[in-house]
Amino acid sequence: MKESIFKKQLNDIIREYINETKIPFARNKEFQGLPELRKKYAPAIENDVNMASKKAIDKSEKAYNDYLSRLDDAYMITGERINTADLALLNPDVFKMTQDEFNDVAFRNKDNPTMFVALRSYAKELNLMCPENIIGKKEKAERAKHAYHTALNYINRSSGDFCCNDYMLTMVGDLFNEATLLCE
């Protein structure tokens, strides 16, 4: 399976954010019990964290908007994207495929949005189910939005708490499973 560019970008952004905030978060923890030092260094620590957060948020927004743009391009339905051999099979008046046969045709065309329209129509006509990992533009956009908001939540929550949560630190690189199927 092709890796989602969007998922990789979000993981890279979080990885970079963790690296940029590691020292300020450690300094904040070090000065927690020392009111004099905390008062003295808190503005600089807060500034460093805020700058890293803003940078990560801006990059996340750009990655999200770039993904939506690539998604629009990928889902532009054009005649040149038609797989004529498989399209001939999607005529319910001529061929009535079983679910397994339909799944084979669907998986062959899973990365072709033009064929996805024909597949979806055929499935609806014959009461077949589209395989689970074949999702349309709307579903991909919704998953992308959820992944984007998850990234923002990680960033905002850690910057507000002055520490990265353990899950984010442990899973960095493998976060955003909802974005796994978001290949354009």
Side-chain angles (χ1 to χ4, degrees):
M1 176 187 249
K2 195 168 76 171
E3 182 181 19
S4 165
I5 295 167
F6 182 54
K7 179 181 178 182
K8 182 180 179 337
Q9 287 174 325
L10 290 179
N11 276 297
D12 289 348
I13 290 164
I14 293 297
R15 191 177 289 116
E16 184 180 335
Y17 173 75
I18 288 170
N19 288 334
E20 288 184 9
T21 57
K22 196 178 291 182
I23 291 172
F25 287 164
R27 284 188 3 229
N28 183 63
K29 191 173 186 178
E30 181 182 329
F31 300 140
Q32 266 316 343
L34 306 168
E36 285 288 316
L37 292 176
R38 189 175 64 235
K39 185 177 180 180
K40 180 178 179 180
Y41 293 108
I45 292 170
E46 191 171 325
N47 184 54
D48 290 349
V49 170
N50 287 340
M51 286 179 59
S53 297
K54 180 172 178 6
K55 181 178 169 186
I57 288 168
D58 290 347
K59 284 184 171 187
S60 298
E61 183 177 2
K62 182 175 179 353
Y64 174 63
N65 289 327
D66 288 351
Y67 174 76
L68 292 179
S69 179
R70 289 190 309 271
L71 187 64
D72 283 341
D73 291 344
Y75 274 79
M76 187 176 296
I77 297 175
T78 65
E80 52 200 41
R81 292 182 178 169
I82 292 174
N83 176 338
T84 54
D86 284 344
L87 187 62
L89 298 173
L90 298 177
N91 181 346
D93 295 331
V94 178
F95 295 101
K96 300 223 187 302
M97 288 185 257
T98 65
Q99 183 68 56
D100 287 338
E101 293 165 335
F102 175 75
N103 289 350
D104 290 341
V105 175
F107 282 120
R108 260 196 318 270
N109 292 282
K110 68 180 170 40
D111 294 326
N112 184 335
T114 299
M115 288 301 293
F116 180 76
V117 173
L119 290 162
R120 190 178 59 226
S121 299
Y122 182 87
K124 186 176 181 180
E125 181 79 22
L126 294 178
N127 291 322
L128 297 174
M129 295 186 59
C130 277
E132 192 174 291
N133 66 343
I134 297 179
I135 58 176
K137 180 180 175 183
K138 180 180 176 187
E139 294 89 353
K140 285 185 176 187
E142 288 171 3
R143 285 182 186 214
K145 185 176 184 179
H146 184 264
Y148 167 64
H149 285 289
T150 300
L152 296 182
N153 187 42
Y154 285 140
I155 295 162
N156 288 327
R157 189 165 177 213
S158 64
S159 63
D161 294 342
F162 284 94
C163 66
C164 294
N165 71 31
D166 290 338
Y167 180 75
M168 184 170 84
L169 290 170
T170 304
M171 296 300 292
V172 69
D174 288 321
L175 291 167
F176 312 110
N177 284 330
E178 65 272 28
T180 299
L181 297 176
L182 298 182
C183 294
E184 301 84 17

